[in-house]
Amino acid sequence: MRRWRIHVRGTVQGVGFRPFVYRLAVRLGLSGFVFNDAAGVLIEIEGAAGEEFLVALRDEAPPLARIDGVDVIQISPEGNTGFAIRDSMATGDGTSSIGADVATCPACLAELFDPAGRFHLYPFVTCPDCGPRFTIAGRLPFDRAHTAMAGFAMCEACAADYADPASRRFHAETISCVRCGPRLSHSVARIAASLRAGQIVALKGIGGFHLLCDAANEEAVRNLRHRKRRADKPLAVMVADLASAERIGVPDEDERNLLACRARPIVLLRKGLGLAAGVAAGLDRVGVMLPSAPVHHLLFHALANSPALVATSANRAGNPLIVDDDEARRELEGVADVIVTHDRPILARSDDSVMQVIEGAARFVRRSRGFVPEPIDLGEDGPAVLAVGAHLKATLCVTRGREAFVSQHIGDLDNVQTVRFYRETAGRMLAMLGVRPELVACDLHPDYRSSLFAEELGRPLRRVQHHAAHLAAVAAEHHLRGAFVGVALDGHGYGADGGAWGGELMLMQGAMWRRGGHLWPLALPGGDLAAREPWRMGIAALVALGRGADMVFGHIPEAPRLAGWLAGSAAGPVTSSMGRLFDAAAALLGVCERQSYEGQAAMELEALVRVPRCLPDGFRIIENMLDFRPLLAGLLEPGMDARTGAEMFHGTLIAGLAEWTGAFARAEGQTDVVLGGGCLMNRVLAEGLAAALRARGLAVWLARAVPCNDGGISLGQAAMARVMI
């Protein structure tokens, strides 16, 4: 007889791993024990079938488990009998991690609607294969006493299931039922009746509150926008199933698979019929998600024929997602007609993830519920780093060994509440992961709240240029080690010269980078105000072309004065930003002159495109600067309509960027090209540019593990900080 001590590292807590080990050991006639510790799961087995056990440990692991490593040593036999699940111990080197929240599994869904079962119509039914994990975890090990379920004592039936090896809820830490578990403050029938009556409902879910209303009811949608002060920004909708998604959207096979994945993200689909016009006005796509919690399934069951519900984050504009019951009652008074809470605390707020399919692959717009805190493999070990991200769409990143843990979406660091959430998230991540950072990484911008936070920490500080971080994030997830060409396209980033960058061509390797070129600069009238009022960038474009403001913007009283000032001034801020170039084009074409949300002008411009077309001689390359002034002049040609202009703008951008990048890559002897920055969320641009570069024989890399926008900046900062000397 032989005995082995086995340590399993990875996401192996809260996923049914110990019950799996127990059943496997019993099946193979092995004695020993298993328990959770801070490093993962510790197992000792004794018997003749040890080798078979080690093979099955990986091959038959539970569906939510992720095994990163298995350490095995042979020890002296003890001659004992039986196998046991022991109490957890808070020992080990802190290399374990918890899983992400998972949507209701098919088995629990069947029980939810089984009239003969104990979980019939129970809105918190869960099992080892589904339910909340990240949002209810207080600390590791992932035992009930360390979660938001600690206050719910198991009833006799649940306790029996918990202790029964034959039950699929054997040692399921989240087990509960209608007799002993959390309760909703309102019945599902009452919620459904309110929605049918056109009311707005605030519903507490897994990671926070949603605001719900009937997505086909124009008045309800208009009321929601008015009360939430969300004028135009698109609203996400939730549907009961894939068939319902196909009634309001036009998903392809990749999008259907993404909708149905266990994370249940919001997926951007081409719009179909059946939604109120106010859900996503001016856009050709709408964000759609399937139910992520049992209560959502119950709600659609009660609503019967309702095709879709608006399901948007419950918060005041700019504030974090609401998770606390008292805060919901206080902040949502006058916004929601009905506020539905429950008595299971949310320990980590987490917005819905948002994704889209580009080039047949799932890409993040926002990475949060359902994916956080799953780590990103960096491919090699390195120092522990806390990277504090950007100012907008802030996230944090903590590295541990070869893993990078990027936080849930936090938001823009413009107010006290969001900054508080940001700081709390940093503390929680470091404590949960057991990491004491050796380095802190931040943006070059000296006034970002994130940069100021980094300076407070008293750790060795590494400052990383914004666009280099965009590109480094993509390189890190794809394990690119050598030199590569990078194209970073976004709205704004603090340049090494203190200027406003945003259309950058770079040569990069590790922590080293060189600016190889940039877009021809345009004036930036009003600074940050220009990002909210695209007509200002339109004026800048007209002045750059030697045209008068009255040509397009005579109806704006301030336009002539601003044009005169720009024409007569040699000084003033300028920008190489691709985002501001989009704004200029949208304004010149009359698509969008004022924005009520970030990226509105660019999104509405993209929505017009059916087939991109290139304007001959629409760009020039002058001393490594890519000049699109000929394209802007083309948009002003008599008879130019918005759709034709949008298609010409996108097609010419793609052609110009491809020629510019290809020439630089050839000159530098490089074949790898990384594309990063928020403008790459534009599907037309991303797919067109990637195809054009591949046609030139180049290998093209795009973000998949994190968003290409500022939500991925923290990963790039961390990757560069780890190799900085």
Side-chain angles (χ1 to χ4, degrees):
M1 302 293 286
R2 292 186 294 172
R3 189 177 184 91
W4 291 266
R5 179 173 295 148
I6 305 161
H7 221 140
V8 187
R9 293 174 282 107
T11 303
V12 289
Q13 296 190 20
V15 294
F17 203 84
R18 290 174 300 165
F20 154 69
V21 168
Y22 176 94
R23 294 189 184 101
L24 180 59
V26 170
R27 188 182 87 199
L28 297 176
L30 299 168
S31 63
F33 59 82
V34 60
F35 64 81
N36 285 339
D37 66 9
V41 169
L42 182 67
I43 308 165
E44 287 193 13
I45 55 168
E46 184 171 326
E51 300 290 349
E52 186 178 349
F53 176 92
L54 290 171
V55 172
L57 189 68
R58 285 186 178 274
D59 291 350
E60 301 176 24
L64 300 185
R66 192 198 72 252
I67 297 177
D68 293 334
V70 179
D71 302 319
V72 183
I73 59 172
Q74 194 165 336
I75 59 177
S76 299
E78 297 181 2
N80 52 11
T81 60
F83 195 89
I85 297 179
R86 292 187 176 178
D87 291 339
S88 299
M89 298 179 65
T91 59
D93 59 2
T95 57
S96 184
S97 60
I98 60 173
D101 301 317
V102 180
T104 312
C105 70
C108 283
L109 191 58
E111 290 178 314
L112 185 64
F113 293 108
D114 179 6
R118 192 167 92 252
F119 302 100
H120 183 229
L121 304 183
Y122 176 55
F124 300 93
V125 61
T126 183
C127 75
D129 294 338
C130 69
R133 297 293 187 273
F134 171 70
T135 51
I136 65 167
R139 62 183 176 89
L140 292 174
F142 188 85
D143 293 337
R144 193 181 185 92
H146 303 155
T147 73
M149 293 299 295
F152 300 94
M154 285 182 270
C155 67
E156 184 177 340
C158 286
D161 274 350
Y162 186 86
D164 181 5
S167 169
R168 69 186 191 89
R169 291 188 173 84
F170 179 47
H171 275 268
E173 303 300 339
T174 57
I175 186 173
S176 67
C177 70
V178 68
R179 293 176 56 194
C180 63
R183 296 172 184 268
L184 289 174
S185 63
H186 295 68
S187 71
V188 171
R190 163 84 187 279
I191 303 169
S194 298
L195 292 168
R196 276 195 297 266
Q199 293 186 317
I200 297 165
V201 173
L203 175 65
K204 185 178 181 182
I206 291 177
F209 280 80
H210 279 122
L211 289 172
L212 307 177
C213 74
D214 183 349
N217 185 327
E218 194 69 66
E219 183 179 0
V221 172
R222 186 166 53 249
N223 286 340
L224 175 58
R225 287 196 175 280
H226 174 71
R227 296 180 192 180
K228 197 184 174 185
R229 299 175 189 170
R230 184 169 176 164
D232 301 301
K233 191 174 182 180
L235 300 166
V237 298
M238 183 184 291
V239 295
D241 49 32
L242 283 173
S244 299
E246 291 170 350
R247 286 201 292 272
I248 64 163
V250 189
D252 62 21
E253 188 62 26
D254 293 321
E255 291 164 340
R256 281 192 288 270
N257 291 336
L258 188 54
L259 279 167
C261 79
R262 67 192 188 194
R264 292 293 195 272
I266 297 169
V267 181
L268 301 185
L269 306 179
R270 188 154 54 90
K271 277 198 299 192
L273 303 173
L275 295 178
V279 169
L283 303 179
D284 64 338
R285 295 195 170 259
V286 61
V288 180
M289 61 179 153
L290 299 187
S292 57
V295 66
H296 301 145
H297 291 284
L298 292 174
L299 193 50
F300 279 109
H301 183 258
L303 288 167
N305 296 321
S306 178
L309 295 173
V310 167
T312 187
S313 302
N315 58 343
R316 295 282 188 178
N319 286 353
L321 176 68
I322 292 172
V323 298
D324 179 73
D325 296 356
D326 290 337
E327 183 186 8
R329 296 184 188 102
R330 182 175 64 252
E331 293 295 322
L332 299 178
E333 183 180 1
V335 177
D337 299 297
V338 180
I339 299 175
V340 183
T341 66
H342 58 70
D343 51 352
R344 183 180 69 199
I346 296 172
L347 301 185
R349 76 185 81 210
S350 190
D351 266 299
D352 298 311
S353 293
V354 183
M355 306 185 78
Q356 62 177 329
V357 174
I358 294 178
E359 288 199 308
R363 317 278 179 180
F364 285 102
V365 176
R366 182 171 74 197
R367 183 177 183 268
S368 209
R369 180 190 54 74
F371 296 96
V372 174
E374 292 177 358
I376 297 159
D377 180 23
L378 298 176
E380 58 187 19
D381 286 339
V385 176
L386 168 62
V388 299
H391 184 80
L392 303 179
K393 302 178 181 67
T395 61
L396 297 130
C397 178
V398 175
T399 66
R400 187 180 67 183
R402 61 184 287 160
E403 296 175 315
F405 295 84
V406 179
S407 75
Q408 69 271 43
H409 168 79
I410 294 171
D412 299 346
L413 302 180
D414 287 328
N415 59 55
V416 172
Q417 293 91 335
T418 307
V419 172
R420 184 183 300 121
F421 172 33
Y422 173 81
R423 290 173 174 270
E424 290 170 355
T425 301
R428 176 183 169 83
M429 289 180 71
L430 294 173
M432 189 74 75
L433 296 169
V435 170
R436 183 174 172 83
E438 302 165 56
L439 301 170
V440 174
C442 71
D443 195 271
L444 283 182
H445 200 300
D447 297 327
Y448 275 4
R449 293 280 179 87
S450 54
S451 299
L452 299 175
F453 172 65
E455 292 169 0
E456 294 174 12
L457 297 175
R459 298 276 174 183
L461 187 60
R462 302 289 185 266
R463 298 183 186 273
V464 179
Q465 199 279 325
H466 189 91
H467 301 95
H470 270 310
L471 301 172
V474 182
E477 68 158 292
H478 293 294
H479 303 170
L480 298 181
R481 306 289 181 223
F484 62 85
V485 169
V487 182
L489 307 172
D490 68 0
H492 175 271
Y494 192 81
D497 59 2
W501 292 9
E504 310 306 314
L505 187 59
M506 293 180 167
L507 181 66
M508 292 190 63
Q509 182 170 9
M512 306 298 293
W513 63 272
R514 172 166 61 84
R515 193 185 193 195
H518 56 83
L519 298 187
W520 187 278
L522 286 174
L524 188 65
D528 290 345
L529 191 58
R532 297 191 294 274
E533 299 181 350
W535 68 266
R536 292 174 176 271
M537 292 309 304
I539 294 289
L542 289 172
V543 171
L545 295 170
R547 312 285 183 92
D550 288 346
M551 183 176 184
V552 180
F553 303 108
H555 59 288
I556 298 178
E558 308 99 310
R561 181 171 56 85
L562 181 60
W565 181 82
L566 288 176
S569 174
V574 297
T575 180
S576 60
S577 165
M578 176 61 79
R580 301 291 78 80
L581 186 65
F582 265 91
D583 290 346
L588 293 177
L589 291 168
V591 173
C592 181
E593 293 180 347
R594 301 178 191 271
Q595 300 190 110
S596 68
Y597 62 91
E598 185 189 7
Q600 180 179 359
M603 290 167 66
E604 292 183 355
L605 199 63
E606 180 192 3
L608 294 171
V609 178
R610 294 296 176 264
V611 179
R613 58 181 83 181
C614 182
L615 174 67
D617 301 320
F619 62 89
R620 299 174 295 209
I621 300 174
I622 305 171
E623 296 180 354
N624 289 333
M625 286 186 286
L626 180 56
D627 182 6
F628 283 112
R629 285 179 295 176
L631 168 61
L632 296 175
L635 301 182
L636 296 170
E637 288 296 314
M640 178 67 65
D641 64 277
R643 183 178 301 281
T644 301
E647 293 178 343
M648 186 179 294
F649 180 75
H650 281 79
T652 309
L653 284 190
I654 291 165
L657 289 166
E659 183 170 324
W660 184 51
T661 305
F664 183 69
R666 286 193 302 273
E668 298 294 337
Q670 302 299 321
T671 57
D672 286 312
V673 176
V674 168
L675 304 180
C679 291
L680 273 303
M681 290 191 297
N682 182 309
R683 182 192 309 244
V684 176
L685 175 60
E687 293 186 339
L689 180 55
L693 291 170
R694 291 194 185 101
R696 286 167 167 77
L698 299 168
V700 180
W701 306 91
L702 291 145
R704 288 198 64 178
V706 293
C708 63
N709 59 34
D710 282 8
I713 282 281
S714 62
L715 175 62
Q717 290 173 344
M720 291 186 69
R722 281 166 42 114
V723 295
M724 280 183 173
I725 298 174

